[in-house]
């Protein structure tokens, strides 16, 4: 089998396609011939050496795949050979063959392409979990979504369409605003030329916003927190400010950590604000929590609400180009990786 290996932390040329023996499924596992694997911001951070959860290099990362079951371990009856599936992998997904427990794999509908299926787990589970499990979005409420035109942001806006009368703000560079409006974002904000705090207050006034989804970190967590309305919720789910740019920079990481606000329960109590943290990587084994959400997402796909947007499908041997797209913020929606030799 092929795997995209991060040979050591560094620039895109540390990525290499390596050959390995096919894995053998253990009891209760299926082996998947991977058709497509999702690329996430975390994978790019791992290559930079800035993702603490990643295995030590050399390693193969990747949280999600789609493909066809081509072998099963003892005791597997639910997903026979030939079943088209999507699956959650905690690393190792950027391979042409992976083994996962049956609980981490879901059969997918015939009409769902492999590329679209590989674009679903991380983005839509993150979005669904933030909106409906921890952040709770109510009809008529207001939501600020940072990094809005990326994979998670796209999923957030699609899911928000199931909630009536939401006033939504999304930060993204100006060329992506038509895309955001098409997703139902009522107020795109060009964060490069406009202060998003001013932009939100111009619409909502001093009361502020009910829910902020913030993967930026550092000083933005403070600004998002200050922007919350009474009973507002902020979901912290990333530290993109620490990674931005195409080179690893410890200075950038440390400066963002220094600017991270310190919250206290007493402060939150008196302000009537809530901070919620989401790190799906740390929930990836909580199948009882995630599986019903993934099933709901597939229902919403059947209903035409969930529409994965694949920005590019890139062969394994060109993985550096896929990383570049995320690093340079070129993508609208998802970038997926395709094993070499498949088209
Ligand atoms: N905690 C979790 O479980 C979890 C799960 C998934 C993702 N995340 C985090 O969520 C964030 C978004 O992920 P994604 O997959 O949606 O990203 P993505 O598809 O790569 O899109 C990110 C977009 O955000 C914009 N952006 C704004 N500020 C940025 C910055 N400082 N650095 C880089 N890009 C910036 C860029 O577009 P423009 O600048 O052109 O608008 C970029 O295209 C990432 O930080 C990721 O680590 C967390």
């Amino acid at each position: 089998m092929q795997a995209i290996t991060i040979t050591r932390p560094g620039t895109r040329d540390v990525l290499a396609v390596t050959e390995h023996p096919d894995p053998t499924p253990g009891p209760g596992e299926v082996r998947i011939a991977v058709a497509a694997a999702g690329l996430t911001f975390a994978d790019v951070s791992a290559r930079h050496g800035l993702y603490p959860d990643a295995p030590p290099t050399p390693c193969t990362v990747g949280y999600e795949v789609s493909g066809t079951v081509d072998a099963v371990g003892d005791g597997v009856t639910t997903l026979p050979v030939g079943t088209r599936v999507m699956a959650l992998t905690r690393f190792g997904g950027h391979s042409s063959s992976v083994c996962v427990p049956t609980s981490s794999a879901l059969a997918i509908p015939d009409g769902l392409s492999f590329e679209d299926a590989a674009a679903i787990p991380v983005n839509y589970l993150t979005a669904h979990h933030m909106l409906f499990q921890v952040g709770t979005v109510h009809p008529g409420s207001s939501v600020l979504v940072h990094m809005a035109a990326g994979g998670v942001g796209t999923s957030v806006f699609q899911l928000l369409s199931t909630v009536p009368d939401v006033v939504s703000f999304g930060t993204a560079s100006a060329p992506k605003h038509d895309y955001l409006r098409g997703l139902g974002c009522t107020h795109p904000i060009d964060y490069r030329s406009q202060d998003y705090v001013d932009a939100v207050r111009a619409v909502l006034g001093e009361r502020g916003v009910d829910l902020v989804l913030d993967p930026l970190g550092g000083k933005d967590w403070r600004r998002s927190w200050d922007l919350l309305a009474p009973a507002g919720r902020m979901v912290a789910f990333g530290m993109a400010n620490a990674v931005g740019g195409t080179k690893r920079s410890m200075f950038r990481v440390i400066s963002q950590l220094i600017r991270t606000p310190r919250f206290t329960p007493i402060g939150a109590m008196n302000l009537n604000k809530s901070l919620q943290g989401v790190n799906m990587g740390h929930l990836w084994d909580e199948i009882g929590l995630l599986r019903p959400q993934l099933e709901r997402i597939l229902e919403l796909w059947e209903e035409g609400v969930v529409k994965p947007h694949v920005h590019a499908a890139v062969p394994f041997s060109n993985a550096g180009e896929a990383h570049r797209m995320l690093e340079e913020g070129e993508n609208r929606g998802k970038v997926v990786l395709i094993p070499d030799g498949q088209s």
Side-chain angles (χ1 to χ4, degrees), residues 37-291:
L39 180 67
T40 68
F41 214 79
D43 304 325
V44 176
S45 304
R47 198 205 74 225
H48 282 288
L50 294 175
Y51 188 52
D53 293 344
T57 53
C59 68
T60 296
V61 293
Y63 275 115
E64 56 195 344
V65 298
S66 64
T68 307
V69 174
D70 71 349
V72 300
D74 286 348
V76 172
T77 54
T78 49
L79 296 172
V81 168
T83 310
R84 300 173 76 247
V85 292
M86 64 168 63
L88 315 184
T89 52
R90 189 144 197 274
F91 309 120
H94 295 171
S95 308
S96 60
S97 182
V98 298
C99 291
V100 297
T102 50
S103 55
S104 297
L106 239 79
I108 58 173
D110 286 344
L112 180 58
S113 72
F114 285 128
E115 290 180 10
D116 284 359
I120 285 180
V122 170
N123 286 346
Y124 285 91
L125 275 174
T126 305
H128 191 276
H129 188 73
M130 291 195 297
L131 291 177
F132 303 118
Q133 194 79 31
V134 297
T136 56
V137 58
H138 305 291
S141 64
S142 52
V143 183
L144 167 62
V145 183
H146 288 295
M147 299 179 77
V152 175
T154 298
S155 312
V156 163
F157 285 107
Q158 289 178 4
L159 295 177
L160 278 177
S161 72
T162 64
V163 185
D165 303 325
V166 171
V167 178
S168 57
F169 300 83
T171 61
S173 54
K176 298 179 179 175
H177 285 196
D178 283 345
Y179 173 76
L180 278 186
R181 282 189 199 94
L183 289 171
C185 173
T186 53
H187 297 88
I189 300 170
D190 178 9
Y191 68 98
R192 294 169 195 261
S193 66
Q194 195 182 9
D195 185 328
Y196 63 82
V197 171
D198 292 344
V200 172
R201 290 209 189 280
V203 176
L204 297 178
E206 285 308 306
R207 186 168 187 282
V209 66
D210 297 312
L211 175 64
V212 182
L213 307 181
D214 192 332
L216 298 172
K219 70 175 186 341
D220 286 296
W221 279 339
R222 165 57 66 198
R223 305 190 77 224
S224 293
W225 178 257
D226 289 344
L227 197 50
L228 288 180
R233 287 89 57 207
M234 177 173 96
V235 183
F237 73 108
M239 287 273 290
N241 284 339
V243 182
T246 54
K247 287 212 180 104
R248 173 183 165 129
S249 162
M250 286 321 285
F251 172 75
R252 181 191 285 270
V253 173
I254 290 165
S255 78
Q256 290 302 321
L257 287 175
I258 289 169
R259 295 158 91 183
T260 297
R262 304 278 176 263
F263 300 105
T264 68
I266 293 174
M269 177 177 75
N270 288 336
L271 290 168
N272 279 296
K273 296 181 181 184
S274 307
L275 167 66
Q276 282 129 350
V278 167
N279 183 333
M280 299 304 286
H282 293 181
L283 288 179
W284 231 220
D285 295 330
E286 295 286 331
I287 294 300
L289 181 65
L290 298 187
R291 201 176 167 96

